Amino acid sequence: DNPILWMRMQESDPSNTTVTNSGSLGSAANGTRSYMENKGAGSPIPTVGAIPSPTKTGATGYLFDGTSSIITVPYNSTTNQALIPATSGITQNMSTPFSMEVWVYFLTLPSNYYDIAGSFRGVYQSLLEVNGNRLCFYPGYAKYSCYTGAITTGKWLHIVATYTGQNLAATSDTALYVNGVAQTVDATTAVAATGQAVTGPYTIGGSNGGSTSAFPGYMSEYAVYSTALTAARVQAHYMASLEAQNPTVLATPGDRVVNLTWTAPTISGGT
């Protein structure tokens, strides 16, 4: 599906802070393991090689400490402009479709906000955020959709947010999927978004704006696409993962019984 940004987070050398972009923007969109701007020098940065990858045998993902760890990616009017996304200058073009995709493993859920990824310093553009047990997607300023119960702790989750570029005063131009399943909106602003100018780098694992907190947990395979992925493609991405093919089985002891629980993948058109 040709992502423009694809941070696989499979690096293993802790002394090298470069995060390789495997997307079509190439090395100009390489990221840097860093810390939030409001933290002091020497603050924790993402830890490499922290957990087995949910998608590739023998690969690993990053640990984000929940206090300062982020990845930063530069963008402006001449560098990685498609990430804004903009067709000229540095102001987000709300007629441009895009998708955000990531594997996350939450260690805790917030009492306020965690920014997973996007652009937010002073004012937000595109943003994927967690508020308590709600997952929220902001395709542009003043427009958002939230989904209660979409997230949980202690296991890998495949999250995809899509925007068609229609910029409607409704939610039908956005969608959010968890483990290949479309989620139901329960909070939204029924307004069209207003494109804003970017004021800082694109960040993953937290942001440099507002009072939001850094993401606490593991992360792998962050990608941005210049299209709105279809439900079928989202499900195909999830089903191709190690996590979908080898679901975790939890054994819980009881009174002379052992309860086995697991999450079976949802397969469109089948059982």
Side-chain angles (χ1 to χ4, degrees), residues 10-179:
Q10 295 176 357
E11 290 80 12
S12 58
D13 181 1
S15 67
N16 184 358
T17 59
T18 298
V19 185
T20 301
N21 173 39
S22 298
S24 63
L25 287 174
S27 60
N30 281 352
T32 301
R33 291 187 296 123
S34 186
Y35 51 84
M36 298 166 71
E37 289 177 349
N38 62 350
K39 306 297 181 180
S43 295
I45 66 175
T47 302
V48 302
I51 190 173
S53 166
T55 63
K56 183 179 178 181
T57 302
T60 56
Y62 285 6
L63 171 65
F64 292 76
D65 78 322
T67 64
S68 64
S69 302
I70 59 173
I71 297 169
T72 62
V73 182
Y75 64 174
N76 52 48
S77 60
T78 58
T79 303
N80 303 324
Q81 192 180 50
L83 267 182
I84 297 176
T87 51
S88 64
I90 59 172
T91 299
Q92 183 180 3
N93 180 353
M94 293 311 306
S95 65
T96 303
F98 67 90
S99 300
M100 304 166 74
E101 178 180 35
V102 66
W103 282 89
V104 293
Y105 186 117
F106 291 95
L107 294 177
T108 62
L109 295 182
S111 56
N112 54 355
Y113 303 94
Y114 293 156
D115 286 342
I116 297 176
S119 176
F120 182 16
R121 184 207 265 164
V123 64
Y124 59 83
Q125 289 81 42
S126 59
L127 190 65
L128 190 59
E129 184 179 77
V130 174
N131 177 1
N133 72 336
R134 296 198 307 175
L135 185 61
C136 299
F137 173 45
Y138 302 74
Y141 185 72
K143 180 181 176 70
Y144 70 84
S145 300
C146 292
Y147 310 78
T148 297
I151 54 176
T152 188
T153 60
K155 65 178 182 179
W156 281 111
L157 299 174
H158 178 240
I159 297 173
V160 180
T162 68
Y163 171 65
T164 66
Q166 293 173 284
N167 199 19
L168 304 174
T171 61
S172 56
D173 55 355
T174 63
L176 189 137
Y177 305 84
V178 176
N179 292 349

Side-chain angles (χ1 to χ4, degrees), residues 151-222:
I151 54 176
T152 188
T153 60
K155 65 178 182 179
W156 281 111
L157 299 174
H158 178 240
I159 297 173
V160 180
T162 68
Y163 171 65
T164 66
Q166 293 173 284
N167 199 19
L168 304 174
T171 61
S172 56
D173 55 355
T174 63
L176 189 137
Y177 305 84
V178 176
N179 292 349
V181 179
Q183 303 298 297
T184 301
V185 176
D186 69 354
T188 185
T189 52
V191 298
T194 303
Q196 301 290 317
V198 299
T199 57
Y202 196 93
T203 57
I204 303 165
S207 70
N208 288 316
S211 58
T212 54
S213 301
F215 166 76
Y218 302 101
M219 191 180 297
S220 180
E221 305 282 7
Y222 181 76

